[in-house]
């Protein structure tokens, strides 16, 4: 299997075919939903919304489909191209196959942002970058304002502009990540407000925070870039994408009774070929793809018609598509038309403008399954070692192809308190024969770009150009040192560890096809953490000692030690004693006069 053939994935090819014909169509807004059942009772739902605004209208701030709030931020920060990602979960490539959109719409765990900013110098570009992150933080209710210089990098070859830019622009690429950011409904609500129909009509009516963030994996993306046609007409294109993998059984569970309960014995599907199979012993079979489901059961609602701003000249025939074998029966709502594609697995539906649409797939025995291609590259990254002072990083790359090597760029953005030793970079390779042998790192690593960190100013940036031979597994390892932080730099949950951003892998395609990206999972780094209860104990003990010492010394210096007689004499000479004596004398005098007047 060649690298070129791997790029021609049916899922990605279908999406590109559906959208390429309408890139510069008469309508300025399009939306698309693609549903595909996956193994292990999972369902992939890929939502895509794209709108165009002419470059002239954008420059004059005449906003129609492009949200004004977002457009003004881009103009104020001089941002020519923007890519924003919100991702939770992990894509299971071994079970689900290649990533949607070849990974180009996917980000690392948490929040990931990169943009091309027009500025004459690096300092001005960084100032505009801070303005951009702080503005987007308020717009999307995210913590993007924490993307400072320590979380910002300038990739060299890992990313390329996706739009058509003028040669006169002085573009600067900046990239930032927040791997510890928790994506929730606070980010979904601003995302929906950017859509023309704002979740009131069209496929966006399926969005429900309870369903979206209960998925095994989900990714929300916003891409803004200029696009020019062959005749020189340029538009500013905004593309919003939501991809999610839902568990069908979990999604069909009633919201009023969300607690999972054991499956009754009569509903268990057991493997009767096992020798220990009996009435009280069951080995459950793997989940199959022929589960019965519908949009109402999975998403909790149906599609409310079509967005009125959607193109109605023919491209709406493909607004909702389903990838199941043609031999499988599918029931749809009245008023919708079904169009089957020639590949034998894809069918699209033409929705009525103001009629609710639902898809129902009954359970049935199907002999044909939708083929899932094998990913081009498998990647895994973990932290190894033990102790609080040093550790190591291990990255494993697997090439499943038996004929072609895979060339790619590996990009890492490490925090400043993780100090890698690049001279310790080692490589081992395991061939198809299963023999592990150690090779020189220069045989695997073709080029290296390394930008060391500066404490509390910037992180480490590492970009490697790698090549993995066919049917081989390459393991890279290097050592690093853990820095000791100031006690004020630790978060409240210091013993949990510190998040390390996922690595970005860009697979090089000599055929100039769509780029393929892979993100590894984020890591948790344990740093030397002091016992924060000890400062509290020291403060309490010190305060107690100081209070006792100060009180004793103060009493010795201020108080006078005298006899009882001297104390009485001194007490009579005080101002208070003299006033009290005069009051007593006045009282006695008044009493004496009263007795005198009352005598007979």
């Amino acid at each position: 299997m060649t690298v070129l053939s791997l790029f021609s994935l049916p899922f990605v090819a279908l999406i590109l075919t559906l959208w390429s014909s309408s890139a510069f169509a008469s309508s300025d807004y399009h939306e698309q939903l693609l549903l595909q059942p996956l193994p292990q009772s999972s369902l992939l739902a890929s939502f895509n919304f794209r709108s165009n605004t002419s470059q002239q209208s954008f420059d004059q701030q005449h906003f129609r489909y492009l949200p004004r709030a977002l457009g003004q931020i881009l103009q104020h920060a001089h941002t020519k191209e923007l890519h924003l990602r919100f991702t939770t979960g992990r894509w299971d490539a071994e079970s689900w196959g290649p990533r949607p959109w070849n990974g180009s719409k996917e980000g690392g765990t948490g929040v990931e942002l990169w943009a091309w900013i027009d500025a004459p110098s690096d300092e001005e570009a960084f100032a505009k970058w801070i303005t951009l992150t702080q503005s987007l933080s308020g717009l999307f209710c995210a913590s993007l304002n924490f993307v400072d210089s320590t979380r910002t990098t300038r990739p060299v070859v890992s990313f390329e502009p996706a739009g058509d830019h003028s040669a006169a622009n002085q573009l600067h690429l900046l990239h930032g990540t927040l791997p510890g950011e928790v994506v929730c409904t606070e980010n979904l609500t601003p995302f929906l407000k950017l859509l023309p129909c704002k979740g009131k009509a069209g496929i966006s009516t399926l969005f429900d925070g309870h369903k979206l963030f209960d998925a095994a994996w989900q990714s929300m993306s916003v891409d803004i870039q200029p696009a020019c046609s062959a005749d020189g007409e340029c538009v500013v294109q905004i593309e919003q994408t939501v991809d999610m993998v839902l568990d069908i059984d979990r999604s069909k569970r009633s919201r009023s009774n969300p607690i999972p309960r054991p499956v009754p014995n009569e509903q268990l599907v057991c493997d009767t070929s096992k020798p220990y199979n009996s009435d009280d012993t069951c080995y459950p079979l793997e989940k199959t793809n022929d589960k019965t489901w519908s949009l109402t059961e999975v998403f909790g609602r149906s599609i409310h018609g079509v967005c009125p701003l959607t193109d109605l000249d023919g491209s709406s025939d493909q607004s909702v598509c389903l990838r199941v074998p043609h031999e499988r029966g599918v029931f749809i709502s009245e008023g919708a038309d079904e169009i089957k594609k020639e590949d034998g697995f894809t069918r699209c539906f033409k929705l009525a403008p103001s009629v609710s649409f639902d898809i129902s797939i009954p359970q049935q025995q199907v002999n044909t399954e939708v083929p899932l291609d094998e990913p081009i590259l498998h990647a895994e990254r973990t932290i190894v070692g033990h102790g609080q002072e040093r550790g190591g990083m291990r990255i494993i790359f697997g090439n499943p192809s038996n004929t072609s090597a895979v060339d790619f760029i590996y990009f890492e953005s490490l925090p400043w308190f993780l100090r890698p030793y690049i001279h310790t970079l080692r490589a081992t390779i395991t061939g198809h024969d299963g023999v592990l042998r150690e090779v020189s790192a220069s045989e695997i690593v073709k080029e290296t770009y390394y930008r060391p960190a500066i404490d509390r100013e910037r992180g480490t940036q590492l970009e490697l150009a790698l090549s993995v031979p066919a049917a081989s597994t390459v393991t890279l390892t290097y050592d690093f040192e853990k820095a000791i932080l100031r006690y004020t730099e630790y978060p409240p949950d210091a013993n949990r560890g510190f998040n390390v951003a996922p690595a970005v892998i860009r697979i090089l395609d000599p055929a100039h096809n769509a780029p393929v990206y892979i993100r590894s999972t984020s890591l948790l780094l344990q740093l030397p953490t002091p016992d924060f209860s000890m400062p509290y104990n020291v403060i309490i003990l010190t305060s107690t000692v100081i209070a006792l010492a100060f009180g004793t010394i103060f009493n010795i210096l201020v108080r006078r030690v005298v006899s009882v007689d001297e104390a009485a004499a001194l007490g009579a000479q005080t101002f208070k004693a003299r006033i009290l004596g005069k009051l007593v004398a006045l009282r006695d005098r008044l009493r004496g006069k009263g007795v005198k007047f009352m005598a007979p």
Side-chain angles (χ1 to χ4, degrees):
M1 183 181 296
T2 63
V3 175
L4 179 59
S5 63
L6 282 169
F7 277 89
S8 303
L9 304 175
F11 180 82
V12 179
L14 171 66
I15 297 178
L16 296 178
T17 303
L18 295 177
W19 290 102
S20 60
S21 60
S22 59
F24 292 94
S26 58
S27 177
D28 293 327
Y29 177 69
H30 308 272
E31 59 183 26
Q32 170 78 32
L33 169 61
L34 184 60
L35 302 170
Q36 179 177 356
L38 297 175
Q40 299 180 356
S41 185
S42 299
L43 175 66
L44 171 63
S46 181
F47 298 80
N48 186 274
F49 310 88
R50 181 172 51 80
S51 59
N52 300 327
T53 299
S54 65
Q55 186 68 48
Q56 182 180 3
S57 299
F58 178 79
D59 295 336
Q60 297 176 355
Q61 295 192 4
H62 294 164
F63 301 103
R64 184 183 180 189
Y65 297 104
L66 183 68
R68 176 181 295 273
L70 192 55
Q72 291 180 343
I73 291 175
L74 298 179
Q75 292 179 344
H76 182 66
H78 294 182
T79 303
K80 301 302 180 181
E81 184 172 333
L82 171 70
H83 302 276
L84 179 61
R85 304 287 185 267
F86 298 90
T87 307
T88 58
R90 183 184 70 90
W91 177 267
D92 188 0
E94 295 182 358
S95 301
W96 301 337
R99 289 166 165 80
W101 308 94
N102 279 335
S104 60
K105 306 295 183 183
E106 175 189 348
T109 305
V111 179
E112 183 177 355
L113 171 68
W114 68 97
W116 277 266
I117 297 177
D118 186 12
S121 63
D122 292 341
E123 292 75 14
E124 294 187 21
F126 182 75
K128 295 295 183 182
W129 168 258
I130 296 299
T131 301
L132 176 65
T133 55
Q134 292 180 351
S135 302
L136 293 177
S137 175
L139 180 62
F140 288 97
C141 297
S143 303
L144 289 168
N145 55 310
F146 288 98
V147 179
D148 53 7
S149 61
T150 61
R151 294 182 172 92
T152 301
T153 55
R154 300 173 182 267
V156 179
V157 293
S158 299
F159 299 93
E160 289 186 354
D164 303 321
H165 298 279
S166 173
N169 295 333
Q170 301 180 12
L171 299 181
H172 298 261
L173 171 61
L174 293 100
H175 178 272
T177 58
L178 287 174
E181 181 75 5
V182 178
V183 184
C184 60
T185 53
E186 292 181 353
N187 312 119
L188 177 62
T189 301
F191 185 91
L192 285 176
K193 290 183 178 180
L194 298 180
L195 298 175
C197 289
K198 305 184 186 304
K200 304 299 182 181
I203 62 175
S204 61
T205 56
L206 294 179
F207 286 145
D208 182 8
H210 297 86
K211 300 291 184 179
L212 176 62
F213 298 106
D214 193 43
W217 173 85
Q218 69 87 18
S219 176
M220 298 189 302
S221 66
V222 178
D223 299 282
I224 302 178
Q225 60 198 24
C228 298
S229 60
D231 56 359
E233 180 184 359
C234 294
V235 297
V236 177
Q237 185 178 99
I238 175 173
E239 190 170 0
Q240 298 176 245
T241 305
V242 177
D243 299 314
M244 66 181 81
V245 176
L246 300 170
D247 185 273
I248 296 178
D249 295 332
R250 184 182 180 91
S251 299
K252 291 169 60 177
R253 191 180 303 154
S254 175
R255 185 180 298 181
S256 60
N257 188 18
I259 301 176
R261 304 184 185 280
V263 180
N265 294 336
E266 59 273 9
Q267 297 182 9
L268 287 174
V269 181
C270 305
D271 188 357
T272 57
S273 63
K274 299 296 182 181
Y276 49 78
N277 181 68
S278 62
D279 295 337
D280 56 351
T281 305
C282 175
Y283 183 84
L285 293 174
E286 294 184 1
K287 298 179 180 179
T288 59
N289 296 343
D290 57 350
K291 288 279 186 179
T292 174
W293 58 273
S294 65
L295 291 180
T296 305
E297 292 177 336
V298 174
F299 293 95
R301 61 190 69 176
S302 59
I303 299 177
H304 299 325
V306 180
C307 181
L309 300 177
T310 307
D311 178 21
L312 298 177
D313 59 0
S315 63
S316 61
D317 296 349
Q318 304 172 351
S319 59
V320 178
C321 294
L322 175 66
R323 280 184 59 82
V324 294
H326 285 178
E327 63 182 85
R328 186 166 188 179
V330 177
F331 300 101
I332 59 177
S333 303
E334 296 183 1
D337 299 329
E338 180 181 0
I339 303 173
K340 293 185 178 181
K341 302 297 180 179
E342 298 179 356
D343 59 357
F345 299 101
T346 306
R347 63 186 79 188
C348 296
F349 306 97
K350 182 178 181 180
L351 278 60
S354 58
V355 179
S356 297
F357 175 76
D358 193 8
I359 298 176
S360 179
I361 299 182
Q363 187 172 4
Q364 53 187 294
Q365 188 66 29
V366 180
N367 299 324
T368 306
E369 294 184 358
V370 178
L372 294 176
D373 292 289
E374 193 170 11
I376 304 173
L377 183 72
H378 296 280
E380 178 184 349
R381 185 177 68 149
T382 55
I383 292 179
V384 297
H386 57 85
Q388 298 291 328
E389 185 178 0
R390 293 181 177 85
M393 193 76 70
R394 180 178 61 188
I395 310 103
I396 302 176
F397 304 103
N399 181 8
S401 175
N402 295 322
T403 57
S404 302
V406 178
D407 299 328
F408 58 94
I409 302 296
Y410 178 79
F411 170 68
E412 265 191 344
S413 175
L414 303 175
W416 64 266
F417 44 78
L418 191 153
R419 301 165 179 169
Y421 296 142
I422 302 301
H423 70 279
T424 63
L425 183 64
R426 298 177 297 273
T428 59
I429 184 171
T430 304
H432 61 277
D433 54 358
V435 178
L436 176 65
R437 62 182 185 276
E438 186 172 353
V439 297
S440 175
S442 59
E443 297 183 14
I444 306 298
V445 181
K446 306 303 180 183
E447 295 182 12
T448 303
Y449 177 83
Y450 173 65
R451 188 186 186 197
I454 300 178
D455 287 356
R456 298 174 180 85
E457 292 187 14
R458 73 182 186 198
T460 301
Q461 178 179 339
L462 177 63
E463 290 184 83
L464 304 176
L466 305 173
S467 179
V468 178
S472 301
T473 300
V474 172
T475 303
L476 296 179
T477 59
Y478 63 83
D479 301 332
F480 61 80
E481 182 184 21
K482 303 176 184 179
I484 299 178
L485 306 181
R486 300 167 182 165
Y487 80 95
T488 56
E489 295 174 338
Y490 286 91
D493 54 347
N495 291 294
R496 173 185 174 272
F498 292 78
N499 294 287
V500 179
V504 180
I505 299 173
R506 178 192 171 205
I507 299 178
L508 303 177
D509 179 21
H512 302 288
N513 288 337
V516 178
Y517 286 94
I518 299 175
R519 261 82 172 179
S520 68
T521 56
S522 59
L523 301 177
L524 205 58
L525 177 66
Q526 295 290 337
L527 291 182
T529 305
D531 185 1
F532 287 100
S533 65
M534 294 307 296
Y536 173 78
N537 297 335
V538 171
I539 292 173
I540 295 300
L541 180 61
T542 305
S543 301
T544 304
V545 173
I546 292 177
L548 293 175
F550 176 79
T552 303
I553 296 175
F554 182 80
N555 289 334
I556 294 175
L557 295 177
V558 175
R559 291 187 177 182
R560 294 176 58 186
V561 180
V562 296
S563 62
V564 177
D565 298 336
E566 292 177 343
L570 291 174
Q573 297 177 3
T574 61
F575 177 77
K576 181 179 179 181
R578 291 197 298 269
I579 295 299
L580 184 60
K582 290 183 178 181
L583 292 176
V584 172
L586 180 61
R587 183 194 61 182
D588 295 342
R589 183 178 178 182
L590 293 175
R591 286 183 178 180
K593 290 182 178 180
V595 173
K596 182 177 180 180
F597 291 144
M598 292 176 61

